[in-house]
Amino acid sequence: MTSGIITKVAGPLVIAEGMRDANMFDVVRVSKQRLIGEIIEIHGDKASIQVYEETSGLGPGEEVESTGAPLSVELGPGLIGAIYDGIQRPLNEIMKVAGNNLTRGVEVPSLDHQKKWHFKPCVKQGDKVVSGDVIGTVQETNAVLHKILVPDKISGVIEKIAEGDYTVDDTIVVIENNGKSQAITMATKWPVRVGRPYKRKLSPDILLTTGQRTIDTLFPIAKGGVAAVPGPFGSGKTVVQHQLAKWASADIIVYIGCGERGNEMTDVLNEFPELKDPRTGNSLMERTVLIANTSDMPVAAREASIYTGITIAEYFRDMGYTVALMADSTSRWAEALREMSGRLEEMPGEEGYPAYLGSRLAQFYERAGRVIVNGTGNIEGALSVIGAVSPPGGDISEPVSQATLRIVKVFWGLDASLAYKRHFPAINWLTSYSLYTDQLEQWYKENASEDFMELRGRLMRLLQDEAELQEIVNLVGMDALSATDRLKLETSRAIREDYLHQNAFDSVDTYTSLKKQVLMMRAILLCYDKSIEALEKGANVDLLVGMLVRERIGRLKYEEEETAESEFESICAILNKEVKDVVERSEG
């Protein structure tokens, strides 16, 4: 083991000399307190170390010891439902060891090495296996069947295989390759900065359904896609991520609180176990891994939390699962990069952020994707990444937002003015976009409706027309508008209030299937088309705007999925009757 001596301490940065034999990104133990750190720069025998724990009290002359291994996560049964800090230490176990006051240098294993899991083999003696093959399963929770995979770069013939209750350290399989026997356990380690391998990447042409109408209809994200949710404080980033965690069509959720305020992280830790999983009716924690890194923890640990989270997510993707990763928020990680860069005395880029900010963000987001995983057979796994961005004052022209927008394909721009009007989700339909829409066109046709993209296009056009008309109304008043334009404004209001606005706390409105979304769009647009037809026949615009059926259309979002279709048919019948009455009254 390489050991050196501290020569300088500057906050989370420690400089040690005598580290000539150490490698970049090796994990080190600093001082007698054995604080965890990682080498981020080497010049000759001097190593710059970012320490993931509080460094107050450290001074020159203390010893630094390299472990000779990169920062890695422990992967195996026991991850689901766990709450980790940024360097994958289980917070519940730390509390048992250290009490409520977290002491420095605490060493707690990431997985429970005493607990026995029931291992069921999927292969038998004499079978040939390659890396990535499933050799057995463990029922980790009611919702998750944990698949034990052949580790990377290992292949051969099954010599022995066990069945029964074992700990993660027990040998469950022995693989023979070229006369050598290799013992396999349920737990493996993986370096966090290295993406896990796969066979090939697939095109992002399957929708990650979320049940959130603004997202599914206007700004969709594909399975294996990447999205950014920028917005000022209080605009609803966390609520959007909670809704996606609960309702997105993902098997596993990995939630990273990266540098979040302590009270926000406490809310997440309290709320997630209480959230009901709509799939099983049990706690959402039965398919969730939480990584809690708060703003008062050392800044260097923010970077570790991001990499720890995405490595755990890749591990479940390799089992053939669809994984959704929420990072809240990447801005805090960027601030940590800025602080470490400043302490390393590197040449600063824009606003003091390091020049490599964009490439670091890209390295993180590019680990997402829908892929064919390693192993025999064409098993598909997907990892979708949704990163919240917290630009100061909501100004998305700042470097972190701009670097993120160059990488991601979906931009859900949250608007403070919409949030203050209690419009949820506060996604601004004029500034947001999705670059997956064209690739998803065929999927929508096959799984939602033939005319889905046409309906969506009409909604978007009406919302854009409304923005232009609203400027005229603000200048010269409603009376300056033609009857057709008044109907456009009324329809746009219905789109905003009855379609895009969604109540996350209402048991029915919190989730809308694609089938119901199509019915709601059709109802609004049918009302518009019928009104335009009536107008051409000489109908009074005030009577058309005041039709009672508009209220029924607005209440359609609170209709249960089973009865939505019959309610839509009822609305169509009432609409035809009311429009006919208006035309007759106008003629009379």
Side-chain angles (χ1 to χ4, degrees):
M1 276 194 189
T2 305
S3 61
I5 301 295
I6 294 176
T7 58
K8 178 184 174 185
V9 179
L13 177 70
V14 167
I15 311 274
E17 57 184 29
M19 306 287 287
R20 189 174 294 279
D21 296 330
N23 298 312
M24 275 290 281
F25 301 122
D26 273 3
V27 171
V28 295
R29 291 288 183 171
V30 179
S31 82
K32 287 176 186 166
Q33 293 175 320
R34 295 186 62 75
L35 308 183
I36 298 174
E38 185 184 25
I39 295 174
I40 54 171
E41 205 175 75
I42 296 176
H43 292 294
D45 72 336
K46 278 193 174 181
S48 300
I49 299 157
Q50 62 177 358
V51 182
Y52 294 133
E53 298 182 74
E54 182 57 54
T55 57
S56 57
L58 283 189
E62 295 193 60
E63 196 177 15
V64 172
E65 190 182 278
S66 171
T67 62
L71 183 66
S72 303
V73 286
E74 206 169 16
L75 303 167
L79 287 170
I80 297 290
I83 300 163
Y84 293 113
D85 72 353
I87 43 181
Q88 212 207 0
R89 295 182 301 182
L91 294 175
N92 290 337
E93 295 306 310
I94 288 177
M95 196 173 81
K96 288 175 192 172
V97 175
N100 286 337
N101 295 321
L102 179 59
T103 49
R104 294 189 287 176
V106 175
E107 289 187 57
V108 180
S110 304
L111 299 176
D112 188 338
H113 289 253
Q114 310 304 317
K115 183 173 179 176
K116 291 198 169 182
W117 300 92
H118 187 72
F119 174 76
K120 275 188 183 173
C122 296
V123 289
K124 56 188 187 299
Q125 200 173 338
D127 285 357
K128 272 190 173 180
V129 290
V130 296
S131 64
D133 277 350
V134 179
I135 47 177
T137 60
V138 167
Q139 192 67 50
E140 190 170 350
T141 66
N142 290 331
V144 177
L145 184 70
H146 195 114
K147 299 170 187 176
I148 309 299
L149 309 173
V150 177
D152 190 40
K153 297 186 177 124
I154 291 176
S155 59
V157 177
I158 302 284
E159 202 175 86
K160 270 191 225 163
I161 187 151
E163 180 169 5
D165 297 339
Y166 298 94
T167 67
V168 293
D169 295 328
D170 292 336
T171 298
I172 47 163
V173 178
V174 177
I175 294 175
E176 191 257 337
N177 186 16
N178 296 332
K180 288 183 184 173
S181 291
Q182 183 98 32
I184 308 290
T185 64
M186 285 193 265
T188 58
K189 286 205 160 189
W190 191 268
V192 296
R193 290 178 185 272
V194 179
R196 285 176 65 88
Y198 50 82
K199 277 187 191 167
R200 67 175 190 277
K201 227 169 198 174
L202 301 171
S203 172
D205 52 16
I206 295 175
L207 179 73
L208 180 77
T209 52
T210 65
Q212 311 305 300
R213 294 187 291 269
T214 310
I215 293 172
D216 286 352
T217 304
L218 301 186
F219 314 112
I221 177 171
K223 273 189 183 177
V226 285
V229 194
F233 176 75
S235 58
K237 293 186 291 292
T238 307
V239 186
V240 167
Q241 291 200 324
H242 281 207
Q243 281 294 91
L244 295 178
K246 188 173 180 182
W247 295 107
S249 55
D251 305 306
I252 309 285
I253 304 296
V254 179
Y255 191 97
I256 308 167
C258 175
E260 279 302 284
R261 295 169 184 81
N263 59 333
E264 284 196 23
M265 216 51 239
T266 307
D267 286 347
V268 171
L269 297 179
N270 286 335
E271 282 171 24
F272 262 66
E274 287 177 16
L275 284 177
K276 248 192 180 179
D277 183 354
R279 295 178 176 203
T280 60
N282 299 332
S283 167
L284 190 64
M285 281 304 287
E286 288 195 358
R287 58 184 180 95
T288 302
V289 181
L290 283 180
I291 293 165
N293 173 269
T294 59
S295 50
D296 63 341
M297 291 179 178
V299 293
R302 295 179 188 178
E303 181 164 29
S305 69
I306 288 284
Y307 287 120
T308 296
I310 200 151
T311 307
I312 291 171
E314 284 178 330
Y315 173 63
F316 285 106
R317 175 208 69 192
D318 290 348
M319 295 179 198
Y321 288 125
T322 297
V323 186
L325 180 137
M326 320 283 166
D328 189 10
S329 97
T330 53
S331 294
R332 310 271 176 262
W333 168 34
E335 284 161 15
L337 286 177
R338 177 166 63 183
E339 178 164 341
M340 290 308 296
S341 175
R343 291 186 187 279
L344 287 166
E345 297 175 6
E346 293 172 339
M347 181 70 80
E350 198 182 347
E351 287 188 27
Y353 288 101
Y356 49 77
L357 171 69
S359 65
R360 284 287 175 88
L361 287 168
Q363 281 167 13
F364 166 65
Y365 281 109
E366 74 182 6
R367 285 170 75 169
R370 190 166 70 93
V371 301
I372 298 293
V373 300
N374 280 350
T376 46
N378 284 335
I379 297 168
E380 204 178 283
L383 167 54
S384 311
V385 175
I386 294 124
V389 184
S390 313
D395 173 22
I396 62 161
S397 65
E398 56 88 44
V400 183
S401 301
Q402 288 303 308
T404 306
L405 291 184
R406 283 195 288 272
I407 302 156
V408 299
K409 301 284 190 292
V410 181
F411 169 65
W412 297 322
L414 297 180
D415 193 318
S417 62
L418 283 174
Y420 295 143
K421 288 174 189 167
R422 296 290 182 268
H423 185 291
F424 176 82
I427 295 172
N428 187 315
W429 48 87
L430 298 173
T431 56
S432 304
Y433 61 82
S434 168
L435 301 181
Y436 294 119
T437 315
D438 292 345
Q439 285 162 295
L440 292 168
E441 188 168 348
Q442 192 57 35
W443 189 93
Y444 277 124
K445 275 184 181 172
E446 291 168 10
N447 297 275
S449 117
E450 275 286 332
D451 60 345
F452 189 94
M453 295 306 284
E454 189 190 327
L455 296 170
R456 176 193 176 276
R458 290 191 65 194
L459 250 60
M460 289 293 282
R461 279 193 297 278
L462 281 162
L463 289 168
Q464 282 161 355
D465 288 348
E466 183 203 27
E468 292 167 16
L469 292 171
Q470 202 59 53
E471 286 182 21
I472 298 168
V473 170
N474 293 343
L475 281 169
V476 289
M478 188 69 81
D479 296 341
L481 294 183
S482 66
T484 311
D485 286 344
R486 273 194 64 190
L487 282 179
K488 261 189 193 174
L489 274 185
E490 183 58 31
T491 307
S492 304
R493 185 200 58 75
I495 295 168
R496 282 188 289 104
E497 295 177 10
D498 304 337
Y499 190 77
L500 300 182
H501 180 273
Q502 201 159 349
N503 186 347
F505 300 104
D506 184 271
S507 58
V508 176
D509 196 32
T510 185
Y511 176 89
T512 309
S513 69
L514 281 174
K515 185 184 168 190
K516 188 173 161 188
Q517 288 182 37
V518 170
L519 292 175
M520 289 173 69
M521 283 194 282
R522 280 192 182 139
I524 292 167
L525 293 171
L526 189 66
C527 184
Y528 175 65
D529 292 340
K530 294 278 181 191
S531 300
I532 291 287
E533 277 175 32
L535 205 62
E536 286 167 0
K537 291 176 185 170
N540 183 304
V541 69
D542 292 319
L543 293 175
L544 287 169
V545 168
M547 287 191 298
L548 295 174
V549 74
R550 291 183 185 277
E551 202 176 314
R552 282 286 284 271
I553 293 169
R555 284 204 305 269
L556 185 55
K557 63 180 175 183
Y558 298 113
E559 198 67 37
E560 296 281 356
E561 294 282 340
E562 301 78 47
T563 56
E565 199 155 352
S566 60
E567 175 62 11
F568 172 72
E569 284 165 10
S570 173
I571 284 169
C572 291
I574 296 166
L575 177 64
N576 287 333
K577 185 179 177 300
E578 281 203 33
V579 168
K580 194 180 170 191
D581 288 351
V582 167
V583 172
E584 285 171 4
R585 281 167 65 192
S586 302
E587 284 171 354

